[in-house]
Protein backbone atom coordinates (compact mmCIF):
# COMPACT_ATOMS: atom_id res chain seq x y z
CA UNK A 1 0.00 0.00 0.00
CA UNK A 2 1.32 3.45 -0.86
CA UNK A 3 1.72 5.83 2.12
CA UNK A 4 -1.12 8.20 2.95
CA UNK A 5 -0.56 11.29 0.85
CA UNK A 6 -1.98 13.88 3.30
CA UNK A 7 -0.87 14.71 6.80
CA UNK A 8 -3.22 13.79 9.61
CA UNK A 9 -3.57 16.70 12.01
CA UNK A 10 -5.82 15.71 14.89
CA UNK A 11 -7.18 13.05 12.56
CA UNK A 12 -8.52 15.74 10.23
CA UNK A 13 -6.93 15.68 6.80
CA UNK A 14 -5.75 18.99 5.40
CA UNK A 15 -5.42 19.06 1.63
CA UNK A 16 -4.93 21.82 -0.90
CA UNK A 17 -7.33 22.47 -3.73
CA UNK A 18 -7.33 24.46 -6.89
CA UNK A 19 -9.56 25.40 -9.77
CA UNK A 20 -13.30 26.15 -9.69
CA UNK A 21 -14.95 24.81 -6.56
CA UNK A 22 -18.44 24.59 -5.07
CA UNK A 23 -19.25 26.94 -2.18
CA UNK A 24 -17.03 26.21 0.82
CA UNK A 25 -18.59 23.81 3.32
CA UNK A 26 -18.06 24.69 6.97
CA UNK A 27 -18.68 21.21 8.34
CA UNK A 28 -18.84 21.01 12.13
CA UNK A 29 -16.23 22.04 14.72
CA UNK A 30 -13.12 19.89 14.94
CA UNK A 31 -11.97 18.17 18.12
CA UNK A 32 -9.29 15.69 19.08
CA UNK A 33 -10.28 12.05 19.01
CA UNK A 34 -9.25 11.64 22.65
CA UNK A 35 -11.53 14.44 23.84
CA UNK A 36 -14.42 12.66 22.15
CA UNK A 37 -13.69 9.29 23.71
CA UNK A 38 -12.12 7.85 20.55
CA UNK A 39 -8.77 6.14 20.04
CA UNK A 40 -6.79 8.12 17.45
CA UNK A 41 -4.58 5.15 16.54
CA UNK A 42 -7.62 3.03 15.77
CA UNK A 43 -9.13 5.80 13.64
CA UNK A 44 -5.85 6.04 11.75
CA UNK A 45 -6.14 2.30 11.13
CA UNK A 46 -9.58 2.82 9.60
CA UNK A 47 -8.11 5.35 7.16
CA UNK A 48 -5.27 2.96 6.33
CA UNK A 49 -7.81 0.22 5.66
CA UNK A 50 -9.74 2.47 3.25
CA UNK A 51 -6.54 3.46 1.47
CA UNK A 52 -5.66 -0.21 1.02
CA UNK A 53 -9.14 -0.95 -0.35
CA UNK A 54 -8.79 1.95 -2.77
CA UNK A 55 -5.43 0.57 -3.91
CA UNK A 56 -6.96 -2.88 -4.41
CA UNK A 57 -9.76 -1.50 -6.62
CA UNK A 58 -12.78 -1.52 -4.30
CA UNK A 59 -13.34 2.09 -5.40
CA UNK A 60 -11.17 4.82 -6.96
CA UNK A 61 -11.44 7.09 -3.92
CA UNK A 62 -13.37 7.80 -0.76
CA UNK A 63 -13.95 10.31 2.03
CA UNK A 64 -14.58 9.17 5.59
CA UNK A 65 -16.06 11.42 8.27
CA UNK A 66 -16.45 10.31 11.89
CA UNK A 67 -17.97 12.48 14.62
CA UNK A 68 -19.28 12.46 18.18
CA UNK A 69 -21.08 15.01 20.30
CA UNK A 70 -21.38 17.52 17.47
CA UNK A 71 -17.64 17.49 16.78
CA UNK A 72 -15.63 16.04 13.91
CA UNK A 73 -12.96 13.58 15.00
CA UNK A 74 -11.84 12.34 11.59
CA UNK A 75 -12.16 13.64 8.05
CA UNK A 76 -10.02 11.63 5.67
CA UNK A 77 -9.93 11.46 1.86
CA UNK A 78 -8.15 8.52 0.23
CA UNK A 79 -7.47 7.52 -3.35
CA UNK A 80 -8.25 9.49 -6.48
CA UNK A 81 -11.25 10.90 -8.29
CA UNK A 82 -11.71 8.16 -10.88
CA UNK A 83 -10.09 5.63 -13.15
CA UNK A 84 -9.62 8.38 -15.73
CA UNK A 85 -8.86 11.15 -13.23
CA UNK A 86 -5.81 10.53 -11.07
CA UNK A 87 -6.10 13.69 -8.97
CA UNK A 88 -6.17 12.89 -5.24
CA UNK A 89 -9.55 13.08 -3.57
CA UNK A 90 -10.04 16.05 -1.24
CA UNK A 91 -12.06 16.45 1.93
CA UNK A 92 -14.60 18.57 0.04
CA UNK A 93 -14.93 16.32 -3.02
CA UNK A 94 -18.58 15.91 -4.01
CA UNK A 95 -20.21 12.55 -4.62
CA UNK A 96 -23.43 11.39 -6.22
CA UNK A 97 -25.33 10.31 -3.08
CA UNK A 98 -27.71 7.99 -4.96
CA UNK A 99 -30.25 6.60 -2.46
CA UNK A 100 -28.97 8.74 0.40
CA UNK A 101 -31.27 11.22 -1.34
CA UNK A 102 -34.15 9.22 0.18
CA UNK A 103 -33.12 10.13 3.73
CA UNK A 104 -31.12 13.36 3.45
CA UNK A 105 -33.74 15.12 1.30
CA UNK A 106 -37.01 13.16 1.16
CA UNK A 107 -37.32 11.75 4.68
CA UNK A 108 -36.18 15.06 6.17
CA UNK A 109 -38.88 16.85 4.17
CA UNK A 110 -41.47 14.40 5.49
CA UNK A 111 -40.30 14.98 9.07
CA UNK A 112 -40.69 18.73 8.72
CA UNK A 113 -44.13 18.45 7.14
CA UNK A 114 -45.28 16.05 9.87
CA UNK A 115 -44.04 18.56 12.45
CA UNK A 116 -46.04 21.29 10.75
CA UNK A 117 -49.20 19.19 10.69
CA UNK A 118 -49.28 19.24 6.89
CA UNK A 119 -48.52 15.54 6.38
CA UNK A 120 -50.18 12.62 8.15
CA UNK A 121 -48.25 9.35 8.27
CA UNK A 122 -51.36 7.20 8.12
CA UNK A 123 -53.21 9.20 5.50
CA UNK A 124 -53.84 7.55 2.11
CA UNK A 125 -51.52 8.73 -0.64
CA UNK A 126 -54.53 9.49 -2.85
CA UNK A 127 -55.38 12.35 -0.47
CA UNK A 128 -52.27 14.15 -1.70
CA UNK A 129 -51.77 12.62 -5.15
CA UNK A 130 -55.16 11.67 -6.66
CA UNK A 131 -53.40 10.22 -9.70
CA UNK A 132 -52.07 7.41 -7.50
CA UNK A 133 -54.79 4.91 -8.32
CA UNK A 134 -55.40 1.22 -8.94
CA UNK A 135 -56.56 -1.91 -7.11
CA UNK A 136 -55.87 -1.64 -3.35
CA UNK A 137 -53.85 1.54 -3.83
CA UNK A 138 -56.47 3.48 -1.90
CA UNK A 139 -55.10 1.65 1.18
CA UNK A 140 -51.50 2.78 0.64
CA UNK A 141 -50.40 5.36 3.22
CA UNK A 142 -47.39 7.60 3.72
CA UNK A 143 -46.14 5.17 6.35
CA UNK A 144 -46.28 2.30 3.84
CA UNK A 145 -44.16 4.22 1.36
CA UNK A 146 -41.60 5.19 4.01
CA UNK A 147 -41.24 1.55 5.10
CA UNK A 148 -41.21 0.11 1.55
CA UNK A 149 -44.24 -2.00 2.41
CA UNK A 150 -46.76 -0.54 -0.04
CA UNK A 151 -46.41 -3.36 -2.57
CA UNK A 152 -44.90 -1.20 -5.31
CA UNK A 153 -42.34 -2.60 -7.73
CA UNK A 154 -38.68 -1.92 -7.07
CA UNK A 155 -38.45 0.23 -10.19
CA UNK A 156 -39.79 0.72 -13.71
CA UNK A 157 -37.87 1.13 -17.01
CA UNK A 158 -38.77 4.81 -17.14
CA UNK A 159 -35.68 5.74 -19.11
CA UNK A 160 -36.63 3.45 -22.00
CA UNK A 161 -40.42 3.57 -21.85
CA UNK A 162 -41.09 7.28 -21.21
CA UNK A 163 -39.73 10.42 -22.82
CA UNK A 164 -39.91 13.08 -20.12
CA UNK A 165 -40.77 13.83 -16.48
CA UNK A 166 -44.56 14.12 -16.75
CA UNK A 167 -45.24 10.77 -18.47
CA UNK A 168 -42.67 9.11 -16.21
CA UNK A 169 -44.54 10.28 -13.11
CA UNK A 170 -47.82 9.14 -14.66
CA UNK A 171 -46.35 5.68 -15.22
CA UNK A 172 -45.25 5.50 -11.58
CA UNK A 173 -48.60 6.71 -10.22
CA UNK A 174 -50.64 4.20 -12.20
CA UNK A 175 -48.43 1.14 -11.88
CA UNK A 176 -50.01 -1.93 -10.33
CA UNK A 177 -49.21 -3.19 -6.85
CA UNK A 178 -47.39 -6.51 -6.88
CA UNK A 179 -47.79 -9.74 -5.02
CA UNK A 180 -45.41 -10.22 -2.06
CA UNK A 181 -41.83 -11.11 -3.11
CA UNK A 182 -41.78 -14.17 -0.84
CA UNK A 183 -43.44 -17.52 -0.31
CA UNK A 184 -47.10 -17.06 0.60
CA UNK A 185 -48.38 -18.62 3.80
CA UNK A 186 -51.90 -19.88 4.43
CA UNK A 187 -52.54 -16.91 6.68
CA UNK A 188 -51.33 -14.50 4.01
CA UNK A 189 -53.54 -16.09 1.37
CA UNK A 190 -56.52 -15.86 3.67
CA UNK A 191 -55.86 -12.16 4.18
CA UNK A 192 -55.38 -11.45 0.51
CA UNK A 193 -57.55 -11.12 -2.53
CA UNK A 194 -57.11 -12.68 -5.95
CA UNK A 195 -57.60 -10.28 -8.82
CA UNK A 196 -56.86 -10.12 -12.51
CA UNK A 197 -54.99 -6.89 -13.10
CA UNK A 198 -53.99 -5.07 -16.24
CA UNK A 199 -50.91 -2.93 -16.24
CA UNK A 200 -51.62 0.55 -17.66
CA UNK A 201 -50.35 1.60 -21.04
CA UNK A 202 -49.61 5.06 -19.67
CA UNK A 203 -46.75 6.85 -21.41
CA UNK A 204 -45.82 3.89 -23.54
CA UNK A 205 -45.30 1.40 -20.71
CA UNK A 206 -46.43 -1.91 -22.27
CA UNK A 207 -49.58 -3.52 -20.91
CA UNK A 208 -49.82 -7.14 -19.86
CA UNK A 209 -52.72 -8.91 -18.18
CA UNK A 210 -51.88 -11.33 -15.41
CA UNK A 211 -53.42 -12.81 -12.29
CA UNK A 212 -51.72 -12.09 -8.99
CA UNK A 213 -52.57 -12.50 -5.34
CA UNK A 214 -52.73 -9.07 -3.76
CA UNK A 215 -52.26 -8.61 -0.04
CA UNK A 216 -53.02 -5.44 1.89
CA UNK A 217 -50.26 -2.82 1.98
CA UNK A 218 -48.05 -3.18 5.03
CA UNK A 219 -47.88 -6.98 4.88
CA UNK A 220 -44.77 -7.46 2.70
CA UNK A 221 -41.46 -5.70 2.13
CA UNK A 222 -39.92 -4.73 -1.20
CA UNK A 223 -37.33 -1.96 -1.41
CA UNK A 224 -38.81 0.43 -3.96
CA UNK A 225 -37.53 3.51 -5.74
CA UNK A 226 -41.12 4.06 -6.87
CA UNK A 227 -42.17 4.66 -3.26
CA UNK A 228 -39.70 7.53 -3.04
CA UNK A 229 -40.83 8.98 -6.35
CA UNK A 230 -44.45 8.98 -5.21
CA UNK A 231 -43.50 10.54 -1.86
CA UNK A 232 -41.60 13.29 -3.66
CA UNK A 233 -44.85 14.16 -5.43
CA UNK A 234 -46.61 14.24 -2.06
CA UNK A 235 -44.07 16.78 -0.81
CA UNK A 236 -44.52 18.89 -3.93
CA UNK A 237 -48.32 18.84 -3.65
CA UNK A 238 -48.30 19.72 0.05
CA UNK A 239 -45.75 22.53 -0.29
CA UNK A 240 -46.74 23.86 -3.70
CA UNK A 241 -43.06 24.02 -4.69
CA UNK A 242 -40.64 21.91 -6.68
CA UNK A 243 -38.90 19.32 -4.52
CA UNK A 244 -35.38 20.59 -5.11
CA UNK A 245 -36.28 24.23 -4.40
CA UNK A 246 -38.16 23.36 -1.21
CA UNK A 247 -35.41 21.24 0.37
CA UNK A 248 -32.83 23.89 -0.52
CA UNK A 249 -34.91 26.58 1.19
CA UNK A 250 -36.06 24.57 4.21
CA UNK A 251 -33.22 22.10 4.84
CA UNK A 252 -29.86 22.71 3.19
CA UNK A 253 -29.87 26.49 3.40
CA UNK A 254 -30.80 26.73 7.10
CA UNK A 255 -28.35 23.95 8.03
CA UNK A 256 -25.45 25.59 6.20
CA UNK A 257 -24.97 22.86 3.57
CA UNK A 258 -23.99 24.95 0.51
CA UNK A 259 -22.49 22.07 -1.48
CA UNK A 260 -25.60 19.89 -1.21
CA UNK A 261 -27.99 20.14 -4.12
CA UNK A 262 -29.68 18.57 -7.10
CA UNK A 263 -28.43 19.45 -10.59
CA UNK A 264 -24.98 20.83 -9.69
CA UNK A 265 -23.83 23.47 -12.17
CA UNK A 266 -21.19 22.69 -14.78
CA UNK A 267 -18.69 24.86 -12.89
CA UNK A 268 -18.74 22.32 -10.03
CA UNK A 269 -17.95 19.25 -12.11
CA UNK A 270 -14.21 19.49 -11.65
CA UNK A 271 -14.79 18.74 -7.94
CA UNK A 272 -17.34 15.94 -8.40
CA UNK A 273 -16.18 12.33 -8.45
CA UNK A 274 -17.24 10.61 -11.69
CA UNK A 275 -19.51 7.59 -11.61
CA UNK A 276 -20.15 5.00 -14.30
CA UNK A 277 -19.48 4.75 -17.99
CA UNK A 278 -23.16 4.48 -18.96
CA UNK A 279 -23.46 2.00 -21.82
CA UNK A 280 -27.25 1.56 -21.47
CA UNK A 281 -28.99 4.92 -21.39
CA UNK A 282 -26.79 7.97 -21.98
CA UNK A 283 -23.78 6.26 -23.57
CA UNK A 284 -21.11 8.45 -21.96
CA UNK A 285 -19.13 8.90 -18.78
CA UNK A 286 -21.27 10.39 -16.02
CA UNK A 287 -19.93 13.23 -13.93
CA UNK A 288 -22.08 15.78 -12.15
CA UNK A 289 -25.30 14.23 -13.46
CA UNK A 290 -27.31 11.65 -11.58
CA UNK A 291 -26.24 8.05 -12.05
CA UNK A 292 -29.67 6.54 -11.42
CA UNK A 293 -31.59 6.08 -14.67
CA UNK A 294 -35.07 6.74 -13.29
CA UNK A 295 -33.94 9.95 -11.59
CA UNK A 296 -32.26 10.95 -14.84
CA UNK A 297 -35.52 10.47 -16.75
CA UNK A 298 -37.16 12.73 -14.14
CA UNK A 299 -34.70 15.47 -15.05
CA UNK A 300 -32.23 14.85 -12.24
CA UNK A 301 -34.61 15.81 -9.42
CA UNK A 302 -36.26 12.87 -7.69
CA UNK A 303 -37.03 11.49 -4.27
CA UNK A 304 -35.05 8.31 -4.89
CA UNK A 305 -31.76 9.80 -6.17
CA UNK A 306 -30.19 12.93 -7.64
CA UNK A 307 -28.62 14.65 -4.64
CA UNK A 308 -24.90 15.56 -4.63
CA UNK A 309 -22.99 16.46 -1.48
CA UNK A 310 -19.72 16.11 0.42
CA UNK A 311 -18.73 14.74 3.81
CA UNK A 312 -18.45 18.19 5.39
CA UNK A 313 -22.05 19.12 4.61
CA UNK A 314 -23.30 15.71 5.67
CA UNK A 315 -21.48 16.01 9.00
CA UNK A 316 -23.77 18.94 9.84
CA UNK A 317 -26.80 16.90 8.83
CA UNK A 318 -25.76 13.92 10.96
CA UNK A 319 -24.92 16.08 13.98
CA UNK A 320 -28.33 17.75 13.71
CA UNK A 321 -30.20 14.44 13.83
CA UNK A 322 -28.14 13.10 16.72
CA UNK A 323 -28.85 16.35 18.58
CA UNK A 324 -32.60 15.87 18.42
CA UNK A 325 -33.15 17.77 15.18
CA UNK A 326 -31.28 20.89 16.35
CA UNK A 327 -28.07 22.60 15.28
CA UNK A 328 -26.79 25.81 16.88
CA UNK A 329 -29.91 27.98 17.32
CA UNK A 330 -31.88 26.10 14.64
CA UNK A 331 -34.48 23.52 15.63
CA UNK A 332 -35.07 22.01 12.21
CA UNK A 333 -37.12 19.02 13.39
CA UNK A 334 -38.76 18.24 16.73
CA UNK A 335 -36.79 15.71 18.78
CA UNK A 336 -39.92 13.57 19.14
CA UNK A 337 -40.28 13.41 15.36
CA UNK A 338 -36.65 12.39 14.89
CA UNK A 339 -37.18 9.62 17.44
CA UNK A 340 -40.35 8.42 15.69
CA UNK A 341 -38.81 8.35 12.23
CA UNK A 342 -35.66 6.53 13.34
CA UNK A 343 -37.44 3.81 15.31
CA UNK A 344 -37.99 0.42 13.68
CA UNK A 345 -41.63 0.17 12.55
CA UNK A 346 -41.95 -3.63 12.34
CA UNK A 347 -43.95 -3.15 9.13
CA UNK A 348 -44.19 -5.84 7.97
CA UNK A 349 -43.27 -7.86 11.06
CA UNK A 350 -39.55 -8.54 11.12
CA UNK A 351 -38.58 -5.71 8.78
CA UNK A 352 -35.55 -3.66 9.83
CA UNK A 353 -37.01 -0.47 8.36
CA UNK A 354 -37.76 2.69 10.28
CA UNK A 355 -39.53 5.59 8.53
CA UNK A 356 -37.31 6.30 5.56
CA UNK A 357 -34.29 5.07 7.48
CA UNK A 358 -32.96 1.54 7.95
CA UNK A 359 -31.73 -0.05 11.18
CA UNK A 360 -29.14 -2.81 11.75
CA UNK A 361 -30.22 -6.29 10.70
CA UNK A 362 -31.10 -8.81 13.40
CA UNK A 363 -28.89 -11.38 11.68
CA UNK A 364 -26.86 -11.76 8.53
CA UNK A 365 -25.23 -8.93 6.60
CA UNK A 366 -25.78 -5.30 7.51
CA UNK A 367 -23.96 -2.25 6.17
CA UNK A 368 -23.96 -1.12 9.82
CA UNK A 369 -21.64 -3.98 10.71
CA UNK A 370 -22.13 -5.91 13.93
CA UNK A 371 -21.10 -3.48 16.66
CA UNK A 372 -23.38 -0.44 16.39
CA UNK A 373 -26.30 -0.33 18.82
CA UNK A 374 -29.78 -1.56 17.98
CA UNK A 375 -30.98 2.04 18.07
CA UNK A 376 -28.68 2.97 15.19
CA UNK A 377 -30.17 4.20 11.94
CA UNK A 378 -28.70 4.77 8.52
CA UNK A 379 -28.90 4.21 4.78
CA UNK A 380 -26.78 3.35 1.77
CA UNK A 381 -26.53 4.57 -1.81
CA UNK A 382 -25.96 2.47 -4.93
CA UNK A 383 -22.98 4.54 -6.06
CA UNK A 384 -21.07 3.53 -2.91
CA UNK A 385 -22.26 5.98 -0.26
CA UNK A 386 -23.48 5.35 3.28
CA UNK A 387 -24.33 7.13 6.51
CA UNK A 388 -24.90 5.53 9.92
CA UNK A 389 -25.72 7.18 13.24
CA UNK A 390 -25.67 5.57 16.68
CA UNK A 391 -27.66 7.56 19.27
CA UNK A 392 -26.36 5.39 22.13
CA UNK A 393 -22.79 6.49 21.36
CA UNK A 394 -23.76 9.86 19.84
CA UNK A 395 -21.63 8.72 16.91
CA UNK A 396 -21.89 9.12 13.14
CA UNK A 397 -20.01 7.42 10.31
CA UNK A 398 -20.16 8.89 6.80
CA UNK A 399 -18.50 7.03 3.93
CA UNK A 400 -18.62 8.46 0.42
CA UNK A 401 -17.17 6.51 -2.51
CA UNK A 402 -17.74 6.14 -6.24
CA UNK A 403 -17.49 2.36 -6.34
CA UNK A 404 -19.45 2.31 -9.65
CA UNK A 405 -16.52 3.94 -11.44
CA UNK A 406 -15.96 2.52 -13.97
CA UNK A 407 -18.65 -0.15 -13.56
CA UNK A 408 -21.47 -1.14 -11.20
CA UNK A 409 -20.31 -4.75 -11.31
CA UNK A 410 -17.75 -3.94 -8.60
CA UNK A 411 -19.44 -4.94 -5.31
CA UNK A 412 -16.48 -4.84 -2.92
CA UNK A 413 -18.16 -1.93 -1.12
CA UNK A 414 -20.49 -4.44 0.57
CA UNK A 415 -17.74 -5.81 2.79
CA UNK A 416 -16.00 -2.43 3.15
CA UNK A 417 -19.03 -0.67 4.63
CA UNK A 418 -19.54 -3.27 7.35
CA UNK A 419 -15.82 -3.41 8.17
CA UNK A 420 -15.54 0.38 8.45
CA UNK A 421 -18.54 0.51 10.78
CA UNK A 422 -17.03 -2.17 13.02
CA UNK A 423 -13.58 -0.53 13.08
CA UNK A 424 -15.04 2.85 13.99
CA UNK A 425 -17.22 1.31 16.71
CA UNK A 426 -14.14 -0.39 18.15
CA UNK A 427 -12.38 3.00 18.25
CA UNK A 428 -14.89 4.27 20.82
CA UNK A 429 -12.92 3.79 24.03
CA UNK A 430 -15.19 5.81 26.33
CA UNK A 431 -18.83 5.31 25.26
CA UNK A 432 -19.97 6.96 28.48
CA UNK A 433 -18.59 10.36 27.41
Amino acid sequence: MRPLRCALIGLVVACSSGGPTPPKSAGIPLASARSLGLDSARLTAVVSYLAAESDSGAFPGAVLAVGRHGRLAALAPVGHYGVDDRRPVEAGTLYDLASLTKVVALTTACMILVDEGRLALDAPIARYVPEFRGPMKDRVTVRHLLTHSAGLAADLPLYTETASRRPALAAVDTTTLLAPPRRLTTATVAAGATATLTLPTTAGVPASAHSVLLTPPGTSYRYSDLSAIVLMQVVERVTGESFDRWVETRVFGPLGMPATRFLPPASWRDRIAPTEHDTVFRHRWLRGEVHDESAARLGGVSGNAGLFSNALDLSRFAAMLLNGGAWDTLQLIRAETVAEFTERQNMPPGSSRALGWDTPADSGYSSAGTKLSRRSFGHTGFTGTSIWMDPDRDLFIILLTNRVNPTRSNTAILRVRARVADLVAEAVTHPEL
Side-chain angles (χ1 to χ4, degrees), residues 136 139-140 144 149-151 177 180 188 190-193 213-220:
M136 263 194 207
R139 305 189 193 183
V140 175
H144 292 140
S149 64
L177 299 185
T188 303
L213 184 70
L214 284 182
T215 56
T219 57
S220 66

Side-chain angles (χ1 to χ4, degrees), residues 157-165 167-169 171 202-205 297:
L158 301 177
Y159 69 99
T160 58
E161 301 297 340
T162 64
S164 62
R165 184 178 177 88
L169 291 176
T202 305
V205 175
R297 173 52 73 221

Side-chain angles (χ1 to χ4, degrees), residues 248-389:
E248 165 61 29
T249 302
R250 293 297 307 274
V251 181
F252 310 139
L255 270 178
M257 299 169 62
T260 304
R261 62 168 294 168
F262 293 92
L263 303 174
S267 61
W268 290 19
R269 288 182 183 171
D270 190 48
R271 291 295 177 263
I272 299 175
T275 53
E276 196 169 19
H277 183 212
D278 184 355
T279 60
V280 176
F281 178 25
R282 287 155 285 188
H283 304 285
R284 60 176 178 269
W285 285 99
L286 301 179
R287 186 177 200 140
E289 58 180 314
V290 62
H291 175 265
D292 180 85
E293 291 89 356
S294 291
R297 173 52 73 221
L298 292 171
V301 177
S302 182
N304 73 302
L307 202 62
F308 288 77
S309 188
N310 61 24
L312 285 160
D313 273 14
L314 292 176
S315 71
R316 296 178 75 89
F317 177 77
M320 175 272 297
L321 287 178
L322 286 171
N323 193 42
W327 182 249
D328 289 336
T329 60
L330 172 70
Q331 186 75 47
L332 187 70
I333 308 163
R334 292 173 61 248
E336 295 83 358
T337 304
V338 174
E340 180 180 15
F341 269 72
T342 57
E343 182 180 10
R344 185 179 291 197
Q345 298 292 296
N346 203 35
M347 179 183 285
S351 171
S352 64
R353 290 280 160 175
L355 294 173
W357 294 94
D358 201 3
T359 66
D362 291 328
S363 62
Y365 171 81
S366 172
S367 62
T370 61
K371 300 180 184 300
L372 296 182
S373 77
R374 288 296 304 272
R375 293 180 61 224
S376 298
F377 58 95
H379 212 279
T380 62
F382 187 80
T383 51
T385 58
S386 60
I387 182 170
W388 277 96
M389 285 156 279

